[in-house]
Amino acid sequence: MNLPRHIAIIMDGNGRWACNQGLPRVEGHRAGAKAVHRTVRACREIGIEALTLYAFSEQNWARPEPEVEALMHLLLEYVRTERQEILGNDIRLTAIGDLERLPPFVREPLFALMEESASNQGMVLTLALSYGGREEILRAARALAREAAAGRLDPADIDEAAFAAGLDTAGLPDPDLLIRTSGELRVSNFLLWQIAYAELWFTEDTWPEFDRAHLDLAIECYRQRQRRFGRTGEQVLAAVGATGC
Ligand code: FPP
């Protein structure tokens, strides 16, 4: 049915949603957590293999302290309240980013649920936390450089597969579809290496408004795109035994 195997989402617009409702920003994040619940459930129902959510960027640490604290408490609440949802639906929870920066009161229950769900096969749910694409690439490059300097790796052997294996997302397929809400048309340091050939889909609606209809529309748009990976349209059609221009 040509579904995207991996969907990645930049969940943007929580603050604006709250402001439009006359609510404090943290209420936007709270409503955003409900949209996370809906979206995880919908992706699992649809049969998506991997879903990656940009929940907290490396740069988000620079937000006002009370907002950072509120987001950390929401993450803790998510891990606690969604435990049954994750385990009961055969979802494997993982996380990418500089996880050591997370406060222990978030990191410990998060790691415990990651471990508890590690053998689940239904869908991989990855939370990007304290995550930055450039930072991830630098970490991978440093690790490879250390191996080369120690004489354990020939630089000539560093190909795409070797590099990808050093990223936090090692083992996950690259995202096929990247969704961003709230009308911003940028990728904001998210999965920079991995989205090289992702199809992009944007909506003006904010993340707390995102629902099954948005997801279905994004997937439908994805299904109508022709992914060429640098080839011509004719080559792509010929590979599936069709003709056209
Ligand atoms: C961007 O909106 C959103 C974030 C920085 C945080 C995303 C967090 C959640 C969706 C809730 C918690 C996550 C989980 C997994 C439970 P913004 O605040 O930058 O919005 P704005 O651009 O309108 O200010």
Side-chain angles (χ1 to χ4, degrees), residues 11-17 25 28-34 36 53-57 60 63 67 71 74-75 78-79 127 129 182 184 206-207:
M11 310 183 288
D12 195 17
N14 292 349
R16 274 162 286 166
W17 178 87
R25 289 180 58 83
H29 296 314
R30 196 174 296 285
K34 288 188 183 145
V36 168
L53 301 175
Y54 204 5
F56 192 85
S57 74
N60 286 153
R63 289 197 175 195
E67 181 165 340
L71 279 165
L74 269 178
L75 282 167
Y78 181 80
V79 170
L127 300 181
L129 298 170
S182 92
E184 309 291 356
T206 62
W207 177 247

Side-chain angles (χ1 to χ4, degrees), residues 12 39-40 52 106 121 147 156 173-174 178 185 192 223 231:
D12 195 17
T39 305
V40 170
T52 300
V106 175
Q121 306 275 330
E147 288 300 293
D174 283 344
L178 173 71
L185 306 180
L192 295 182
R223 295 184 62 233
R231 290 172 296 158

Side-chain angles (χ1 to χ4, degrees), residues 14-243:
N14 292 349
R16 274 162 286 166
W17 178 87
C19 182
N20 291 338
Q21 314 278 319
L23 295 169
R25 289 180 58 83
V26 61
E27 290 308 317
H29 296 314
R30 196 174 296 285
K34 288 188 183 145
V36 168
H37 171 89
R38 289 197 289 278
T39 305
V40 170
R41 184 171 277 191
C43 284
R44 178 72 183 96
E45 276 170 14
I46 292 167
I48 301 302
E49 276 177 51
L51 172 67
T52 300
L53 301 175
Y54 204 5
F56 192 85
S57 74
E58 184 88 37
Q59 289 66 32
N60 286 153
W61 290 114
R63 289 197 175 195
E65 177 61 27
E67 181 165 340
V68 170
E69 197 161 308
L71 279 165
M72 291 300 129
H73 280 95
L74 269 178
L75 282 167
L76 170 65
E77 201 176 310
Y78 181 80
V79 170
R80 279 190 182 149
T81 59
E82 297 297 304
R83 183 175 167 276
Q84 275 316 321
E85 179 80 13
I86 287 170
L87 298 177
N89 285 299
D90 201 21
I91 295 170
R92 176 160 65 91
L93 178 68
T94 64
I96 56 173
D98 185 2
L99 305 175
E100 290 307 310
R101 278 191 86 178
L102 294 174
F105 78 85
V106 175
R107 200 173 55 233
E108 285 162 14
L110 172 72
F111 281 18
L113 187 52
M114 283 164 52
E115 207 174 301
E116 223 181 333
S117 67
S119 60
N120 288 354
Q121 306 275 330
M123 182 175 87
V124 186
L125 167 62
T126 303
L127 300 181
L129 298 170
S130 189
Y131 176 85
R134 285 187 173 180
E135 290 81 353
E136 178 192 35
I137 289 169
L138 285 173
R139 278 197 302 276
R142 269 188 222 114
L144 289 170
R146 270 195 297 271
E147 288 300 293
R152 289 190 290 266
L153 175 68
D154 180 347
D157 291 335
I158 303 175
D159 56 11
E160 286 192 19
F163 197 83
L167 295 171
D168 298 356
T169 49
L172 279 178
D174 283 344
D176 301 295
L177 173 62
L178 173 71
I179 294 174
R180 182 172 189 149
T181 56
S182 92
E184 309 291 356
L185 306 180
R186 52 179 176 262
V187 296
S188 298
N189 206 16
F190 189 40
L191 301 175
L192 295 182
W193 169 280
Q194 298 89 336
I195 61 169
Y197 286 99
E199 296 295 326
L200 311 183
W201 189 83
F202 300 98
T203 171
E204 290 288 322
D205 292 335
T206 62
W207 177 247
E209 297 168 298
F210 192 86
D211 63 12
R212 178 64 189 256
H214 291 92
L215 183 64
D216 287 344
L217 183 59
I219 292 174
E220 192 45 42
C221 288
Y222 167 85
R223 295 184 62 233
Q224 287 175 21
R225 307 244 183 113
Q226 185 188 51
R227 301 187 76 194
R228 292 197 283 274
F229 299 97
R231 290 172 296 158
T232 67
E234 288 84 348
Q235 286 176 305
V236 174
L237 288 171
V240 293
T243 52

